[in-house]
C-alpha cells in the first residue's frame, strides 16, 4: 500500500532472463501486486521472474505468459486488466530490463495519491544525467517523437514521450479503450492521445535515465522508427475525431 492506495506494478518482458531477476527483486515493498507479462519469450524469463519474487519476499510474483508474442503495448494492457481485476487503485509500469530506478516510484505515485493527476509519466529530460546517460541516437529520436507527440496527443506540457515508466489511476485505465491501444512500440504515444480524448490530467515527473554497460534494446529501425509515424497519425486523427464528437454532444445538450 502507498498512502492508502493498493499499488500494482506491470512488468512487460520479452527475452529478459538476464535482467528481469534484479528488476523484479528490487521492486519496492510498497507494491502489493507485481505482474510480469512474459510475451512468449524463448528464454527462462518466467522462471527467473518467479525466483526473483521469492528473493523479494512479499506476495508471490504473478507471472502471465502470452502464448505468442503480441508486443510490449499488448503485454501492458494484459497487465492493466489483471491489476484492475485484483482491485488495484493505481497501476505502474516498470520495464523488465532494469532501466527504471525503483527509488523514483513514489514520485510517480504521489500526484495520483494527492488527486492532482490521473496519469503520471517519467521524464528523463528533467534529470541532469540525461545528456551523459542516454545514447545520442536515443536523444535525437526521443526529442523528435516527443515534439510530434505534443501535437498528436494534445498534451503540450509533456516530453519524453517514449519513457515507459508510468503510473495510472484506476479511473484513468477505466476511461480509455485499452483494447484499442497500439500493441507494439508506439503504444505510449497512442495512450497519451487516448487519455487526452478522455479529458484526463497527465503529469511529467523527473526520473533517472539508466543505460548500463550491458544495455541492450529490442528497438531497431524496422519495428519502431518505421511504424511510429503511422501510429502517431492514427492516434492524432482518432483523438481529434473523438474530441469533435464530445463537443457536438455538449452543444446538443446545451
Ligand atoms: N511483453 C513484451 N515486452 C516487450 C516486448 N518488447 C520489449 N518488451 C519489454 O519492454 C521493455 C522495454 O523494451 P526495450 O526494447 O528495452 O525498449 P526501451 O527500454 O523502451 O528502449 P531503449 O531505450 O532502447 O532501451 C523491456 O522490459 C522489454 O523486455 C514484447 O514484444 N513483449
Ligand atoms: Mg530498454
Amino acid at each position: 500500500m502507498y498512502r492508502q492506495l493498493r499499488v500494482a506494478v506491470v512488468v512487460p518482458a520479452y527475452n529478459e532472463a538476464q535482467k528481469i531477476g534484479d528488476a523484479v527483486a528490487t521492486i519496492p515493498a510498497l507494491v502489493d501486486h507485481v505482474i510480469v507479462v512474459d510475451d512468449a519469450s524463448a528464454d527462462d524469463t518466467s522462471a527467473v521472474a518467479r525466483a526473483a519474487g521469492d528473493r523479494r519476499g512479499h506476495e508471490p510474483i504473478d507471472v502471465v505468459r502470452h502464448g505468442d508474442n503480441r508486443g510490449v503495448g499488448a503485454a501492458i494492457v494484459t497487465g492493466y486488466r489483471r491489476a484492475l481485476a485484483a482491485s488495484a487503485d493505481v497501476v505502474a509500469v516498470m520495464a523488465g530490463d532494469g532501466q527504471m530506478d525503483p527509488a523514483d516510484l513514489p514520485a510517480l505515485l504521489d500526484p495520483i495519491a494527492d488527486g492532482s493527476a490521473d496519469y503520471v509519466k517519467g521524464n528523463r529530460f528533467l534529470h541532469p544525467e540525461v545528456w551523459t546517460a542516454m545514447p545520442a541516437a536515443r536523444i535525437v529520436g526521443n526529442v523528435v517523437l516527443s515534439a510530434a507527440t505534443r501535437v498528436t496527443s494534445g498534451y503540450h506540457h509533456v516530453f519524453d514521450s517514449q519513457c515507459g515508466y508510468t503510473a495510472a489511476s484506476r479511473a484513468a485505465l477505466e476511461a480509455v479503450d485499452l483494447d484499442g491501444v497500439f500493441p507494439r512500440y508506439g503504444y505510449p504515444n497512442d495512450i497519451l492521445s487516448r487519455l487526452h480524448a478522455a479529458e484526463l490530467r497527465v503529469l511529467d515527473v523527473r526520473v533517472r535515465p539508466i543505460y548500463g554497460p550491458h544495455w541492450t534494446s529490442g528497438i531497431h529501425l524496422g519495428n519502431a522508427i518505421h511504424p511510429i509515424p503511422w501510429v502517431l497519425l492514427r492516434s492524432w486523427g482518432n483523438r481529434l475525431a473523438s474530441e469533435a464528437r464530445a463537443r457536438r454532444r455538449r452543444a446538443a445538450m446545451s
Side-chain angles (χ1 to χ4, degrees):
M1 298 289 279
Y2 183 72
R3 299 181 54 189
Q4 318 296 328
L5 299 176
R6 181 171 159 82
V7 181
V9 164
V10 174
V11 183
Y14 181 56
N15 292 342
E16 294 289 3
Q18 297 298 321
K19 298 193 183 134
I20 193 141
D22 286 343
V24 164
T26 55
I27 291 177
L30 63 90
V31 176
D32 303 282
H33 187 190
V34 177
I35 305 160
V36 171
V37 186
D38 174 355
D39 207 14
S41 296
D43 65 8
D44 290 338
T45 293
S46 289
V48 175
R50 274 195 201 93
D54 297 341
R55 243 198 301 157
R56 180 170 172 264
H58 298 275
E59 275 181 41
I61 300 292
D62 191 2
V63 179
V64 185
R65 192 176 147 87
H66 285 167
D68 50 358
N69 181 264
R70 288 162 44 191
V72 57
I76 289 169
V77 167
T78 294
Y80 278 157
R81 292 214 176 286
R82 200 156 174 105
L84 292 176
S87 309
D89 298 308
V90 53
V91 190
V93 176
M94 295 175 81
D97 58 3
Q99 283 185 277
M100 288 156 189
D101 187 345
D104 288 327
L105 186 60
L108 285 153
L109 301 175
D110 277 329
I112 293 176
D114 292 340
S116 58
D118 306 298
Y119 184 91
V120 184
K121 52 178 280 305
N123 181 344
R124 294 162 292 184
F125 288 89
L126 296 173
H127 198 291
E129 277 170 28
V130 71
W131 309 111
T132 47
M134 194 183 280
R138 282 283 180 276
I139 293 179
V140 172
N142 196 320
V143 166
V144 170
L145 289 176
S146 292
T149 303
R150 282 187 165 179
V151 177
T152 59
S153 73
Y155 289 116
H156 298 278
H157 63 286
V158 306
F159 206 70
D160 197 3
S161 54
Q162 305 323 107
C163 184
Y165 202 177
T166 62
S169 70
R170 180 180 191 85
L173 296 178
E174 285 174 343
V176 298
D177 169 25
L178 292 175
D179 290 329
V181 170
F182 186 69
R184 297 195 175 270
Y185 293 118
Y187 77 88
N189 316 73
D190 189 28
I191 286 182
L192 284 171
S193 296
R194 290 168 189 275
L195 291 164
H196 195 278
E199 300 180 4
L200 294 161
R201 298 159 302 164
V202 173
L203 190 71
D204 272 4
V205 299
R206 183 171 85 169
V207 296
R208 193 156 76 90
I210 301 179
Y211 286 84
H214 306 296
W215 170 63
T216 51
S217 173
I219 296 180
H220 54 82
L221 204 67
N223 67 4
I225 318 299
H226 163 64
I228 288 182
W230 300 109
V231 178
L232 284 172
L233 282 175
R234 189 190 76 152
S235 53
W236 191 14
N238 286 345
R239 172 177 76 80
L240 293 178
S242 155
E243 290 172 358
R245 277 196 302 275
R247 273 196 303 276
R248 279 199 298 275
R249 265 200 310 276
R250 274 191 204 115
M253 282 186 324
S254 62

